[in-house]
Amino acid sequence: MGTAAKSGKPVKLTIDGVKVTVPEGTSVMRAAAEAGLQIPKLCATDSLDAFGSCRLCVVEIEGRRGTPASCTTPVHPGMVVHTHSDKVRRIRKGVMELYISDHPLDCLTCAANGDCELQDMAGAVGLRDVRYQAPEKAPLANHFSARDTSGVANPEWLPKDDSNPYFSYDPSKCIVCSRCVRACEEVQGTFALTIQGRGFDSRVSPGAAGDDFLSSDCVSCGACVQACPTATLQEKSVIEMGTPERSVVTTCAYCGVGCSFKAE
Ligand code: FES
């Protein structure tokens, strides 16, 4: 959710008419959350460094041109921020429309239905109709060796990678928010994932072209699966049995890192 400064000079600002005081270096998004104001987001999380890629969290700041991402913008004394002006609502809706234009519309049969941040954010920004359609894509030769292409919206150009025994990777559902790539680096320190390609052709890749998850440097820690806001990276147990009705967060005592895991 952007930077959370633990100490530093107190900074006073106003967000949506609410006066907030947070430590210097805190992000606008975090300051808004401190004030009980939620700003829509997709690429920001509490546990990863701010990245500013999804542009859903844009805000207006009085005296400043443009609409900066609140997750990467630090607070300044006297700042006056508007998080839900007509302009930012319109921008967010347009951004979300572009995401959905390139996403399969199979929510009712998707394993993440009801537990999907993309679905939640589409509702939060009030998206009802999508005017755009992604261009036809050419097949990707040997992007990686897919072993299971069943159930993929368009397996010709976005084959599913089912090689890992614990989770599957369905690139047709990826919004390229990079949360999985950052979780792999920042949480696990493995650097197994990267983003390849540009624009509509950009996608998460486990190493060089031709690699699948099983033959990559992936250690199956599951950090990427936990970080994914859609059903792109999905535990196979969830695909088989559905989303758990309740979950607990537990801390692994195996090593000194202290990773937390959600389990049914
Ligand atoms: Fe700020 Fe994605 S949440 S740009």
Side-chain angles (χ1 to χ4, degrees), residues 19-241:
K19 297 207 181 305
V20 196
T21 304
V22 289
E24 191 177 34
T26 303
S27 71
V28 169
M29 176 182 278
R30 176 77 61 176
E34 298 278 322
L37 302 163
Q38 297 305 321
I39 299 176
K41 62 185 170 70
L42 274 173
C43 69
T45 76
D46 281 339
S47 55
L48 300 173
D49 290 344
F51 195 58
S53 68
C54 80
R55 314 313 289 178
L56 209 62
C57 71
V58 292
V59 293
E60 279 195 281
I61 298 172
E62 288 186 12
R64 179 167 168 175
R65 293 176 67 178
T67 49
S70 60
C71 64
T72 53
T73 303
V75 295
H76 287 296
M79 205 180 223
V80 179
V81 183
H82 301 284
T83 71
H84 283 79
S85 64
D86 286 349
K87 184 175 178 180
V88 295
R89 279 175 197 260
R90 205 167 49 245
I91 292 172
R92 283 183 198 139
K93 207 166 167 181
V95 167
M96 183 54 76
E97 198 174 355
L98 290 170
Y99 279 121
I100 300 296
S101 74
D102 191 30
H103 194 83
L105 298 174
D106 61 348
C107 295
L108 291 181
T109 54
C110 178
N113 189 23
D115 187 27
C116 171
E117 291 180 42
L118 187 67
Q119 195 178 44
D120 293 345
M121 288 302 134
V125 303
L127 187 68
R128 297 284 173 270
D129 301 305
V130 176
R131 295 165 291 168
Y132 314 119
Q133 202 174 1
E136 295 249 330
K137 300 188 184 185
L140 286 174
N142 287 329
H143 180 65
F144 51 74
S145 50
R147 312 221 171 141
D148 174 14
T149 57
S150 60
V152 180
N154 188 347
E156 282 296 304
W157 52 265
L158 288 174
K160 190 172 173 180
D161 181 352
D162 224 9
S163 62
N164 187 287
Y166 307 110
F167 62 84
S168 68
Y169 168 56
D170 182 350
S172 73
K173 297 188 172 174
C174 181
I175 59 170
V176 201
C177 63
S178 189
R179 276 164 56 164
C180 56
V181 177
R182 289 178 286 143
C184 188
E185 294 173 5
E186 295 173 27
V187 178
Q188 184 62 24
T190 301
F191 298 87
L193 302 178
T194 188
I195 305 281
Q196 287 191 342
R198 295 178 69 82
F200 277 115
D201 291 328
S202 57
R203 69 208 63 239
V204 172
S205 176
D211 282 357
D212 58 18
F213 270 86
L214 196 60
S215 58
S216 74
D217 289 338
C218 171
V219 294
S220 301
C221 71
C224 58
V225 179
Q226 291 296 322
C228 181
T230 68
T232 306
L233 287 156
Q234 187 70 268
E235 282 179 43
K236 289 186 172 173
S237 61
V238 170
I239 295 171
E240 284 159 18
M241 295 184 286

